[in-house]
Amino acid sequence: MLKLIQNEWMKLWHKKGTWAMVAMLILVILVPAGITKYYEVKSPTEGSWQDIEQEAIQSYKETLAGEDLTEEDKAYFQEQMAISEYRLANDAPSQKDSSLASFMSFTSGMLTLVTLFTVITAASIVSSEFSTGTIKMLLTRPMSRAKVLTSKLLTTFLFGLLLYVVNVVVSALIGLVLFGMGTGVELEMVNGQVVEKAVWSDLAYHYLLSGGDFVMSTLFAFLIGSVFRSSSLAIGLTMFLSFTGGMIVMFLSRYDIVKYIWLTHSDLTQYEHGGGSMIADVTLPFSLTVLAIYAVVFLVISYSTFMKRDVTA
């Protein structure tokens, strides 16, 4: 198995597209950082942080004086005003927008690009073997088809995990060099009390929850690529469902069947900060259970199709 994975890994990195994906990921992290730093140097913030908080409090008061606010809006602005007042009373300035923590929070959005690149790899790693005819040579080796397919699947996930690491490490290095650690604190309202926000643990939790869409999109693309032997169909269909999944779920939200569709649960970040699902009576354990069932179904279809397929033609 290790030799099969090594072989797949070498074939993957032999492609120019693999290097292009890594370079593009680094580029989309580096460019926004450079632009942010440029405007920070060009247009430094005027006034002390105390003045900014005082202006914010006055703005919140004027907003709350309006009569067209909903109860949710009033609660939000009251919380923000309480946080600003807490900062002034306890000499607790906020983190600058251009700090390491805020920059890494921004680049965590690049995980969508990581998922896209992994989907492209998953869609083509099997289908390309059929399109080029190399699948015949691969299956003549004294290895079972199950091991061959498993090596391709594991290689795909290893590549995706590598992109995850690249995203985190490059973001941390660039953020540290350009913006520094920062000296302020982030605050939030919890049960009516202003408390310091656990920025790094929240960021780690976001990365963990983002793995839901990453894993399911990869398995679905791997399924389509294995069954239909078309990388373009696998990429297109997976991306279509990823971008329209929210609309599909909202359209079906009136029906109970929506609770059992994997698109409803793949975005686990909806449970971030203690929030609930967009669908009533759906919890994180339930979502994980549904995703696990779909993952098994995707794998069973992929393996059964690959094991039975005739490649002599």
Side-chain angles (χ1 to χ4, degrees):
M1 178 59 70
L2 289 178
K3 289 184 178 180
L4 283 173
I5 295 176
Q6 183 181 17
N7 181 57
E8 294 296 333
W9 190 254
M10 292 173 62
K11 287 193 295 183
L12 182 63
W13 288 100
H14 185 69
K15 301 176 182 178
K16 294 180 180 179
T18 303
W19 293 97
M21 286 187 284
V22 176
M24 189 178 299
L25 178 61
I26 296 175
L27 191 63
V28 297
I29 296 173
L30 182 59
V31 171
I35 295 175
T36 302
K37 186 64 177 180
Y38 171 77
Y39 282 105
E40 178 187 354
V41 174
K42 185 177 180 180
S43 304
T45 304
E46 297 181 359
S48 64
W49 68 267
Q50 290 92 341
D51 294 335
I52 295 176
E53 295 296 342
Q54 288 285 7
E55 293 176 0
I57 292 173
Q58 184 61 35
S59 176
Y60 293 142
K61 289 181 178 179
E62 293 175 357
T63 303
L64 288 170
E67 298 180 354
D68 55 345
L69 291 178
T70 63
E71 291 300 322
E72 292 181 355
D73 291 335
K74 287 182 179 179
Y76 170 77
F77 287 116
Q78 287 172 350
E79 288 181 358
Q80 295 303 307
M81 186 168 65
I83 291 175
S84 294
E85 291 173 345
Y86 181 93
R87 292 191 184 280
L88 292 174
N90 295 274
D91 193 24
S94 63
Q95 285 269 15
K96 292 183 178 180
D97 291 336
S98 53
S99 64
L100 174 61
S102 62
F103 179 69
M104 290 195 68
S105 179
F106 166 75
T107 56
S108 65
M110 305 299 178
L111 293 178
T112 302
L113 193 60
V114 171
T115 300
L116 172 61
F117 290 158
T118 310
V119 162
I120 293 174
T121 304
S124 61
I125 198 168
V126 176
S127 60
S128 61
E129 298 277 9
F130 284 95
S131 61
T132 59
T134 55
I135 189 66
K136 299 177 184 178
M137 298 175 58
L138 186 61
L139 295 182
T140 56
R141 297 181 178 182
M143 295 289 182
S144 67
R145 291 193 177 193
K147 285 187 177 181
V148 171
L149 193 62
T150 301
S151 67
K152 291 181 175 296
L153 181 61
L154 292 178
T155 300
T156 301
F157 276 111
L158 285 174
F159 178 68
L161 290 176
L162 175 64
L163 294 182
Y164 253 74
V165 173
V166 169
N167 179 280
V168 174
V169 173
V170 173
S171 298
L173 290 176
I174 294 176
L176 189 61
V177 170
L178 294 182
F179 308 117
M181 289 295 295
T183 56
V185 296
E186 291 298 319
L187 302 174
E188 62 180 345
M189 188 73 72
V190 179
N191 297 326
Q193 299 292 326
V194 178
V195 298
E196 185 173 346
K197 187 177 180 180
V199 178
W200 296 111
S201 61
D202 285 351
L203 187 60
Y205 190 50
H206 175 78
Y207 272 89
L208 181 62
L209 292 180
S210 298
D213 186 55
F214 166 77
V215 171
M216 297 307 299
S217 296
T218 301
L219 289 178
F220 183 75
F222 190 79
L223 162 67
I224 301 300
S226 301
V227 173
F228 296 99
R229 294 180 291 181
S230 172
S231 58
S232 57
L233 175 63
I235 296 170
L237 186 56
T238 304
M239 288 299 99
F240 173 78
L241 292 177
S242 296
F243 288 112
T244 62
M247 291 185 290
I248 295 175
V249 171
M250 291 301 297
F251 178 76
L252 297 175
S253 59
R254 69 186 71 178
Y255 307 104
D256 290 337
I257 188 83
V258 74
K259 295 181 181 180
Y260 308 102
I261 299 176
W262 67 275
L263 292 173
T264 306
H265 310 278
S266 60
D267 183 14
L268 296 176
T269 57
Q270 60 188 311
Y271 297 104
E272 204 168 357
H273 307 303
S277 170
M278 65 180 72
I279 304 299
D281 301 325
V282 174
T283 62
L284 179 58
F286 182 79
S287 292
L288 292 175
T289 302
V290 172
L291 292 181
I293 294 173
Y294 271 94
V296 172
V297 171
F298 291 166
L299 289 173
V300 168
I301 297 175
S302 300
Y303 275 83
S304 60
T305 303
F306 187 77
M307 297 286 286
K308 297 177 182 179
R309 171 159 289 142
D310 180 16
V311 297
T312 57

